[in-house]
Amino acid sequence: MSTLDIKGLQVSVATEAGFTEILRGVDLTIKSGETHAIMGPNGSGKSTLAYSIAGHPKYTITGGSVTLDGADVLAMSVDERARAGLFLAMQYPVEVPGVSVTNFLRTAATAIRGEAPKVRTWVGEVKEAMKALNMDTNFAERNVNEGFSGGEKKRHEILQLELLKPKFAILDETDSGLDVDALRIVSEGVNRIKGNSDLGILLITHYTRILRYIKPDFVHVFAAGKIVEAGGPELADKLEEKGYAEYTTA
Amino acid sequence: MSTLTTNYLAPTGREEAWRFTPLARVGGLLDPSTAIESVNSLRITSPQPEIKLSVKSAENLPALSESDDLATIRAREVIDEVTHIEVSANAQISEPLIIERSGLTGKPQASRTLISCGVNSHSTIILNNNGDAILADEIEFDLAPGSNLTFISLQEWSAKAVHLGRQHAVISKDATFNSIVITVGGSLVRLLPTVEYSGPGSSADLQGLYFATDGQHLEHRLHVNHNVPNAKSRVNYKGALAGDKAHTVWIGDVYIRANAEGTDTYELNRNLLLSDGARADSVPNLEIETGEIVGAGHASTTGRFDDEQLFYLSSRGIPAEIARRLVIRGFFAEIVGKIKNEEIENRLMDRIDSELAKVEA
């Protein structure tokens, strides 16, 4: 049982006009096996929360803490965070020209597991995971995210989630840009991985659509850089009906 | 050995063609008072039955093309013997012919080679440049109709080598010239991969890679002269620079003459600056004298390491130095992969890795 603990997190970003505060004290605790949905309007800081936990250099932490089983996540480098068990499925996965998916996955798995995966079992492992996500085998020979469709990028993120087996996954707007079929495949992938492990999930989304496929245990409403309301799945139904107006006009 | 000549005037550095080159570092090759030895510098290490090498007197094998390059003019004036490599007509050679330099002394020398590809021949030639040299070198390519040559020029010189070179192809009807120029070694390398056409349906694909570290000056001046109708050219050069005073120069001159209707050309140069104190000059130049063409374009970019790529790889647990190496290998993979020789590809990538590691240390 692991715990990802976010306490009073404050984050700023450097702009031409100086530092702008985006996160204004975020408190959130996620335990293994739990699925937390963070929902909020555009510009509320949801993605900043995701990238700050992953350690993107664009964001400056100005207050608060993030710990993983007591270890100080904010003191770790980006790669150390991943090796400690955090995974960020990005909204806009980055193209890496000239680096094949095969090479990338193997390098990442080697880093995360601390040793190169055995060739014999690894090839099968990758093939099986790709098959489960309806990915063509020639996908592995393509360059990372280069020329991928929106759906391919998201499936590739979930493929990594499956192979790297983190303790906690942050899914940042994984539903954006997906048609119904792709959304179903990706969601089933997440549910399957969760069913086979003790994965804790932080699901960041603007729309309730993905919550029909990935059932949250907790729903948090995010507005103006912090959590303004928390509840169970029924909170998502309320947002579906009424939108974010009552949180943004205040 | 030749004495001073009337045609030759040493460059001052103010000429457009020499403004980027540190003339003090060319080892005297451009100084008319320097004695330059004529050398037959090429030998075959992996023979192919349908390719022969011979040495001929310069009088019997005059230059194929005109050149206003001062290093070439100087070299031609001192050279008394020329190496002639001939690919038989209709030869279909799948394995590469590998040639090495020999007889280089590290003192000023000049070398001239003609590579003649017979009608409808198909071949690959790999030139390994390594060791010490102060060399003014000219290689001309005479591609007969329907011939296809892939020429891979590897500059893996020692750290103090100086290499001023011209590699000029004359491509006749329906012939294809594929050039891959890889420059990673040498103190100063200035290469002129240039192309002209002598018949329609001809095609040139000029690919290049250069990687400069501390103090290296690596200069590539491309020149494509579309002087016939319906010819094609592609230029794609990629460079990376790391370390103090690493300097690269890429010039891409493409001329589409008034009679060159149906020309199809595109040139591209990308530079990756890996550290402060390095400088990449990139000057694409396209001159078009006819509008009746298929297409003409160029692009040049010089940028720093993409932090988003680094973040993406790091966020998957990959340590920063491995992530950097992956990205740089990926950047060069497009060009290196075209060599289609695993041993050479691995050797180049390992050299790039180790030079990068030295800079980072």
Side-chain angles (χ1 to χ4, degrees):
Chain A
M1 169 71 81
S2 289
T3 306
L4 179 65
D5 209 1
I6 303 164
K7 280 206 178 97
L9 188 66
Q10 292 172 290
V11 173
S12 289
V13 65
T15 65
E16 282 172 16
F19 274 94
T20 305
E21 189 179 35
I22 299 182
L23 299 188
R24 299 156 195 260
V26 178
D27 295 297
L28 182 65
T29 301
I30 308 172
K31 293 195 162 67
S32 290
E34 294 177 353
T35 298
H36 292 246
I38 289 205
M39 305 191 62
N42 292 329
S44 58
K46 307 186 297 290
S47 284
T48 298
L49 176 63
Y51 279 86
S52 300
I53 296 170
H56 195 287
K58 182 177 160 190
Y59 302 102
T60 305
I61 313 293
T62 53
S65 66
V66 178
T67 56
L68 175 60
D69 295 330
D72 183 0
V73 170
L74 299 179
M76 300 178 196
S77 63
V78 175
D79 51 306
E80 285 170 345
R81 294 177 198 208
R83 292 198 297 275
L86 297 177
F87 180 87
L88 169 61
M90 296 189 198
Q91 184 179 2
Y92 303 109
V94 182
E95 292 184 6
V96 192
V99 178
S100 70
V101 167
T102 303
N103 186 9
F104 165 65
L105 292 176
R106 196 175 160 76
T107 307
T110 302
I112 297 277
R113 299 177 188 182
E115 59 177 2
K118 296 223 167 25
V119 177
R120 243 178 316 139
T121 50
W122 172 248
V123 173
E125 201 181 333
V126 173
K127 263 193 189 153
E128 201 174 312
M130 284 175 59
K131 195 174 158 202
L133 287 162
N134 266 11
M135 296 168 90
D136 198 276
T137 45
N138 71 19
F139 194 87
E141 301 313 316
R142 293 168 68 184
N143 292 334
V144 172
N145 292 318
E146 202 176 51
F148 286 17
S149 70
E152 286 173 333
K153 282 183 181 169
K154 298 299 169 69
R155 273 187 265 180
H156 181 226
E157 296 293 281
I158 302 307
L159 176 66
Q160 296 166 52
L161 174 62
E162 171 122 45
L163 294 170
L164 301 181
K165 303 192 179 1
K167 292 174 181 156
F168 292 96
I170 304 163
L171 310 180
D172 185 20
E173 310 261 4
T174 292
D175 50 339
S176 73
L178 294 186
D179 62 26
V180 173
D181 291 331
L183 179 61
R184 187 178 46 76
I185 291 166
V186 163
S187 302
E188 284 173 2
V190 173
N191 290 334
R192 190 180 57 250
I193 295 162
K194 190 167 177 248
N196 296 334
S197 68
D198 208 15
L199 180 69
I201 297 173
L202 182 59
L203 180 68
I204 291 174
T205 181
H206 181 88
Y207 300 104
T208 53
R209 194 173 66 141
I210 195 172
L211 303 184
R212 283 181 228 142
Y213 300 91
I214 302 174
K215 298 289 180 196
D217 304 305
F218 305 93
V219 173
H220 311 267
V221 182
F222 211 74
K226 56 184 180 184
I227 291 167
V228 291
E229 192 173 350
E234 73 289 345
L235 186 50
D237 299 333
K238 180 185 147 194
L239 290 170
E240 170 87 61
E241 206 178 307
K242 296 187 175 165
Y244 297 112
E246 72 171 277
Y247 304 105
T248 52
T249 48
Chain B
M1 191 83 57
S2 174
T3 51
L4 300 188
T5 62
T6 50
N7 291 344
Y8 182 76
L9 274 175
T12 62
R14 288 187 294 275
E15 300 82 356
E16 178 58 34
W18 294 99
R19 69 186 175 103
F20 293 108
T21 316
L23 292 173
R25 286 168 49 193
V26 299
L29 285 173
L30 298 168
D31 179 352
S33 64
T34 304
I36 298 178
E37 181 199 7
S38 173
V39 60
N40 304 310
S41 68
L42 297 180
R43 70 184 171 94
I44 293 174
T45 56
S46 72
Q48 294 295 336
E50 293 180 276
I51 304 180
K52 66 170 189 178
L53 183 151
S54 57
V55 173
K56 296 175 178 170
S57 87
E59 282 165 29
N60 293 336
L61 205 63
L64 191 65
S65 60
E66 289 181 10
S67 175
D68 59 2
D69 173 55
L70 291 170
T72 302
I73 291 170
R74 178 103 175 99
R76 285 179 182 181
E77 285 175 346
V78 301
I79 277 164
D80 44 36
E81 287 185 325
V82 180
T83 302
H84 193 193
I85 295 173
E86 294 167 274
V87 182
S88 305
N90 301 307
Q92 301 295 310
I93 307 166
S94 53
E95 287 298 305
L97 175 86
I98 298 177
I99 48 183
E100 303 257 353
R101 296 284 182 183
S102 70
L104 298 184
T105 57
K107 297 199 172 73
Q109 290 175 305
S111 167
R112 188 153 84 74
T113 302
L114 174 66
I115 297 178
S116 303
C117 298
V119 173
N120 294 327
S121 65
H122 199 292
S123 59
T124 298
I125 298 176
I126 298 175
L127 166 61
N128 281 317
N129 288 307
N130 44 46
D132 281 344
I134 298 178
L135 182 66
D137 184 61
E138 180 178 25
I139 303 173
E140 289 179 299
F141 305 89
D142 184 5
L143 279 84
S147 64
N148 184 311
L149 172 67
T150 297
F151 184 73
I152 300 167
S153 183
L154 306 170
Q155 285 65 245
E156 298 177 74
W157 297 112
S158 76
K160 58 181 183 182
V162 175
H163 179 196
L164 305 182
R166 176 176 189 252
Q167 298 185 351
H168 182 80
V170 181
I171 310 170
S172 54
K173 185 172 181 294
D174 298 326
T176 299
F177 178 60
N178 303 300
S179 157
I180 302 172
V181 170
I182 311 269
T183 306
V184 293
S187 163
L188 185 153
V189 176
R190 183 179 183 274
L191 279 183
L192 284 65
T194 57
V195 164
E196 65 179 291
Y197 300 88
S198 64
S202 43
S203 175
D205 186 28
L206 311 177
Q207 307 267 337
L209 173 168
Y210 46 85
F211 180 56
T213 55
D214 294 318
Q216 273 185 306
H217 178 92
L218 306 181
E219 179 168 351
H220 297 83
R221 307 181 74 94
L222 286 287
H223 185 116
V224 179
N225 186 12
H226 276 282
N227 52 341
V228 301
N230 301 316
K232 182 178 170 182
S233 64
R234 290 289 181 274
V235 175
N236 182 16
Y237 268 63
K238 293 179 122 175
L241 301 85
D244 196 31
K245 295 195 172 65
H247 188 193
T248 65
V249 178
W250 179 86
I251 310 289
D253 287 334
V254 175
Y255 294 93
I256 302 173
R257 306 299 180 192
N259 67 335
E261 293 178 358
T263 290
D264 177 4
T265 177
Y266 193 80
E267 57 169 350
L268 179 63
N269 177 227
R270 291 196 189 290
N271 294 298
L272 186 56
L273 287 166
L274 298 170
S275 60
D276 292 332
R279 174 178 164 165
D281 286 293
S282 177
V283 188
N285 179 37
L286 182 59
E287 288 188 23
I288 306 177
E289 292 171 7
T290 173
E292 302 297 313
I293 58 171
V294 174
H298 61 81
S300 161
T301 61
T302 296
R304 302 210 162 254
F305 206 88
D306 187 337
D307 288 337
E308 293 301 324
Q309 289 179 2
L310 198 58
F311 174 73
Y312 187 75
L313 296 173
S314 300
S315 77
R316 272 52 180 154
I318 300 171
E321 71 272 16
I322 295 176
R324 272 170 75 90
R325 209 155 65 194
L326 265 184
V327 171
I328 291 162
R329 277 180 167 247
F331 178 72
F332 283 139
E334 181 193 359
I335 309 287
V336 173
K338 289 190 191 325
I339 297 174
K340 300 202 169 26
N341 177 312
E342 207 173 324
E343 186 193 331
I344 294 173
E345 291 176 26
N346 289 336
R347 189 177 77 213
L348 286 169
M349 285 303 197
D350 288 348
R351 174 155 183 168
I352 289 167
D353 277 355
S354 71
E355 296 209 0
L356 195 65
K358 267 188 266 170
V359 172
E360 285 174 343

